[in-house]
Amino acid sequence: MLRYVAAVTHSVKAGHTIRRLGRDTSGVTTIEYGLIAGAIAVVIIAAVVLLGGNISDLFNTVAGSIGGSGIAAPATP
């Protein structure tokens, strides 16, 4: 009989612990922020990889246009 009471008591404590862990949301916000930061990083990396050459060409075009408009270009060493 004593073993049965001990087993039931242990089972009730385990059930209480599992329910308490199910209600605990303290780390959820941190995980969400980590997932958001990871998604932003993936988007930035993809944009740089996909648009890297186009952006370089755009800057070179703008620099060429500015250089031909009479604005003094910085001296090169």
Side-chain angles (χ1 to χ4, degrees):
M1 177 73 175
L2 209 48
R3 288 183 184 176
Y4 175 75
V5 172
V8 169
T9 304
H10 181 69
S11 175
V12 170
K13 288 181 182 178
H16 175 70
T17 302
I18 291 171
R19 282 191 301 275
R20 183 176 52 84
L21 289 173
R23 290 190 307 259
D24 185 18
T25 60
S26 60
V28 173
T29 304
T30 305
I31 293 170
E32 289 172 349
Y33 284 139
L35 290 173
I36 291 169
I40 290 172
V42 167
V43 169
I44 290 173
I45 291 170
V48 168
V49 168
L50 293 175
L51 302 175
N54 295 338
I55 292 174
S56 177
D57 293 341
L58 177 66
F59 283 138
N60 288 333
T61 302
V62 171
S65 298
I66 291 174
S69 65
I71 299 175
T76 57

